[in-house]
Structure formats: C-alpha cells, structure tokens
Amino acid sequence: MDFDLSEEQRLLKESIDGLLTDSYDFDARKKYQKEKGGWSKAVWGKLAEQGLLGLPFAEADGGFGAGAVETMIVMEALGKALVLEPYLATVVIGGGFLRHGGSAEQKAAHIPGIIDGSKTFAFAQLEKNSRYDLGDVATSAKKKGAGWVIDGEKFVVLNGENADTLIVTARTKGAQRDRSGIGVFLVPANAKGVTRKGYPTQDGLHAADITLTGVEVGADAAIGDPENALALIERVVDEARTAMCAEAVGAMDESLKSTVEYLKTRKQFGVPIGSFQTLQHRAADMFVALEQARSMSMFATMAADFDSARERATAVAAAKVQIGKSGKFIGQQSIQLHGGIGMTQEAKIGHYFKRLTMIENTFGDTDYHLRRVTDAGGLV
C-alpha cells in the first residue's frame, strides 16, 4: 500500500500546520476555551478562508472533492494542536450525512454554510441506555401530515451547545433496538421544543444534553430513507472514527515530542534525565506504539476505498483498537516521565492524555471494537 503523500497533499499539510503554528499555541488555546461555546470563531473563520471546511465536499457543491487522506491530514494537525473548533462535528459528521444521504435541496441549503464557516452542526445520537449501539434508539419521530414530530433525549452531544443545526437519530417504527425503523433528521437548534444544557467535557471541548419535546420538522428534514437510515449512520460514524484515529495520532505524536524534549532539559544529579538508559527505553517504546497507531490510522483511511462495507467497518474497528491501546500507553508514559508537573492544569501534556482518553471512549471503546473485529473473524 502506497502511503506517500502527493504534492497537493503535502501542500495541504504545510498549510494547516503553518496556520495552527501561528494561531494555536497552548496559551492561545486557553483563551479560546473562555469564548462562547468554548472555541474561537476567528480561528474557524481562518479554517474557512483556507478552504479547509470545504475539503470533502464535491466541486458541484462548492467544495474541493478531497478524500479520506486529506481528512486524515487535517485531523492529525488538529490533534497536534489540541484544536477545540468543531471540525469533527461539523465537517466530518454533519458533512458526511449530507454528502452520503442528503438530497440536492438539503445540500444546497446547508453545505455552503459549512464551507464559509457560517454554520456548525452537532450529531445528537447517544441516549441514556444506548452505550455504543447505534441501533438502540428510543427517541421517536412520528408522522404529522407531511412532516414529523420528534420527542426524546440525547446526551453528550459534541458541539451541541453551540451548533446551528442538529442531526438527530429517531425511531420512526419498530422496537427500541430494531435495526430497521431508524431515521436521521435535520433539526434547527433554535426550533420550538428543543432544550439544550451545555457543559465542558474533560478534554476541554463542549457538549450538551438535549431534550426534544414535540419538535415539529417538515418532510424535507429527513436525510435519506427515514425508515432505513442505520446503514448511513454506520458509514458516517465509521468515517468519524477514522478521523478521530488521525486526530489521536497527532496528539500522540506531539505528546512524544514534548516528552522527549522534557527528558533532554530536565536535570537530575547534574545531568539531563534523558541520559538515563531506562528512560530512553521507555521513550523508544512510546515511539513504537506511535508508529503502530499511525500505521493503523493509515490503514483505516485507505479502507474508505474498500468495496465491501463489512471490510471497511472491520478495518476501522481494528484501527480503533490500536489507537486505544497506543493512546493509553503513550499518555500514561508521558505523564509519568514528566513527573509531578504532568499532573497540573498548567502543563499541556495532561491535556493531550485527556483528549486521547475521550477519543478512546467516543463511538466505542477498545473492548467494544475488539469484539467487532473478532466477530468479523479478524485478528488484532
């Protein structure tokens, strides 16, 4: 498999790395956390100006027609900088639903706003007892004339506090855990009956618990088939998992670099602690774990071109397993090698570990994805 970047992809990497180097150091990130919604509208505007918000969309929709590799490049850079802006929620997930299931009218109504930075999205999927089962949906969508009435509760909705539009999974028929009878609906966040309770998450991002009480939407709110949208949901979520794998690689890469730099500068007994062979071995083990994660992230990215949906899903699950294992190992080693300073809010290394932990538990933890791989007959 050829993992070399093309000239255009290398330019993209240089562009996003340069932008974040200039505007996203750790002190700047702390300032952005205090803004409304927990992220910077100015930085979001810069991402739009550079065309990064339009990368995955077709040229016919105003985008650049980029693929999974370009998303991987961007997400890895966002992971290195611990970016707070809702690229995952809006471009990867929100944009994914529109690209794969949206009608021409839905695309025309929403994609231009994503590309120019004027609209952000949130995926309202997780419910009180659903855990990682995308088909466990109790929120209901009942027909009312040509439209729908949605009732239910969603929890830990990433960017839910600040999003303009919600993408809500709701059951149109059947029992709570049936694979059929699930729809996906576009709901204005300010619609009557929508209540949002926002809060910061452990990794510095913001989420919301959302209650939908008699929320009325039109027939044009349904993305794709309102009775058989689970396959669409699974596809978009697997793309989100792949993007998060790349983000995690970026966070692990920066964690390793910061730790090695600390080993070179922190002195004990009059010499840098990096001169101690035991600590060198631990840093080497971290490097191996990083490269394992990077390889699996690339594998999941390349799996976007697989013809078989089952093979794509298994590849993503395998990548998520390795990302979870590597992220935990590198995060723990980074904290330990930094010593007491690594436990403080002032040191950025702990924030990388927090983000890696959240990634590991989003859309399925390591144990969940290990079961997916073994059920599919694969080995990790």
Side-chain angles (χ1 to χ4, degrees):
M1 214 175 262
D2 182 9
F3 290 128
D4 290 335
L5 300 180
S6 68
E7 180 62 25
E8 291 80 6
Q9 290 165 346
R10 283 194 294 270
L11 290 173
L12 170 63
K13 178 174 172 55
E14 291 173 3
S15 174
I16 182 67
D17 286 345
L19 170 62
L20 297 178
T21 298
D22 291 340
S23 60
Y24 230 99
D25 60 26
F26 188 59
D27 288 333
R29 182 181 188 269
K30 289 188 282 188
K31 293 179 182 178
Y32 301 153
Q33 282 182 298
K34 298 177 182 178
E35 295 190 24
K36 182 181 178 182
W39 51 272
S40 169
K41 309 305 180 292
V43 171
W44 191 247
K46 291 179 181 179
L47 295 175
E49 289 171 8
Q50 290 205 4
L52 298 172
L53 305 186
L55 277 179
F57 300 107
E59 293 182 15
D61 296 321
F64 293 91
V69 174
E70 286 75 17
T71 298
M72 178 189 74
I73 291 169
V74 172
M75 290 300 296
E76 187 171 334
L78 299 182
K80 287 182 179 180
L82 281 179
V83 166
L84 301 162
E85 284 63 40
Y87 194 92
L88 177 71
T90 298
V91 179
V92 177
I93 300 178
F97 277 107
L98 292 169
R99 287 187 298 110
H100 296 307
S103 65
E105 293 76 17
Q106 289 170 334
K107 291 177 180 179
H110 296 283
I111 289 178
I114 294 177
I115 293 173
D116 66 21
S118 62
K119 280 189 175 184
T120 64
F121 282 69
F123 181 38
Q125 171 266 323
L126 186 66
E127 298 192 0
K128 187 174 294 184
N129 298 310
S130 63
R131 291 287 290 167
Y132 304 129
D133 185 356
L134 298 174
D136 189 333
V137 180
T139 297
S140 66
K142 298 178 180 178
K143 288 292 291 183
K144 181 178 181 181
W148 303 86
V149 179
I150 302 176
D151 289 277
E153 292 180 297
K154 301 291 186 177
F155 298 92
V156 199
V157 179
L158 186 63
N159 194 46
E161 179 182 9
N162 204 49
D164 305 289
T165 304
L166 306 175
I167 295 180
V168 180
T169 58
R171 182 163 295 283
T172 56
K173 69 174 184 178
Q176 182 174 331
R177 294 180 175 84
D178 288 352
R179 289 186 60 82
S180 62
I182 299 172
V184 181
F185 299 88
L186 290 161
V187 178
N190 60 359
K192 183 179 179 181
V194 175
T195 304
R196 299 188 281 181
K197 179 183 178 183
Y199 48 85
T201 53
Q202 286 294 321
D203 53 356
L205 302 182
H206 277 240
D209 295 340
I210 298 178
T211 303
L212 303 105
T213 307
V215 178
E216 297 188 18
V217 294
D220 59 350
I223 301 177
D225 185 347
E227 293 186 355
N228 292 286
L230 185 57
L232 171 63
I233 295 168
E234 290 175 336
R235 180 175 184 177
V236 173
V237 168
D238 269 342
E239 290 182 355
R241 288 165 174 150
T242 302
M244 287 191 297
C245 286
E247 181 188 355
V249 168
M252 284 184 259
D253 193 5
E254 195 61 30
S255 295
L256 176 58
K257 288 179 181 177
S258 297
T259 301
V260 170
E261 184 63 29
Y262 184 77
L263 295 179
K264 290 178 179 179
T265 56
R266 173 75 167 90
K267 289 187 177 182
Q268 195 171 33
F269 307 117
V271 297
I273 60 175
S275 64
F276 303 147
Q277 192 175 57
T278 299
L279 301 190
Q280 293 174 8
H281 288 171
R282 291 173 69 175
D285 289 341
M286 291 170 66
F287 176 77
V288 172
L290 169 62
E291 291 307 301
Q292 290 174 326
R294 192 189 305 278
S295 295
M296 289 304 295
S297 174
M298 290 179 176
F299 176 55
T301 299
M302 297 303 167
D305 294 328
F306 288 0
D307 293 330
S308 167
R310 179 184 174 88
E311 289 181 2
R312 289 199 306 267
T314 303
V316 172
K320 197 75 161 54
V321 170
Q322 185 60 58
I323 291 294
K325 292 179 178 178
S326 292
K328 183 177 182 179
F329 178 77
I330 291 174
Q332 289 177 338
Q333 294 297 312
S334 296
I335 297 294
Q336 290 176 11
L337 290 172
H338 272 79
I341 190 67
M343 299 294 292
T344 65
Q345 284 289 100
E346 291 73 22
K348 69 177 181 179
I349 195 65
H351 295 267
Y352 281 105
F353 192 19
K354 287 181 179 181
R355 180 58 189 149
L356 287 169
T357 301
M358 292 294 286
I359 288 174
E360 195 265 336
N361 285 280
T362 301
F363 295 133
D365 60 14
T366 302
D367 290 340
Y368 170 79
H369 287 289
L370 187 57
R371 287 194 296 272
R372 290 183 74 198
V373 174
T374 54
D375 289 345
L379 296 174
V380 178

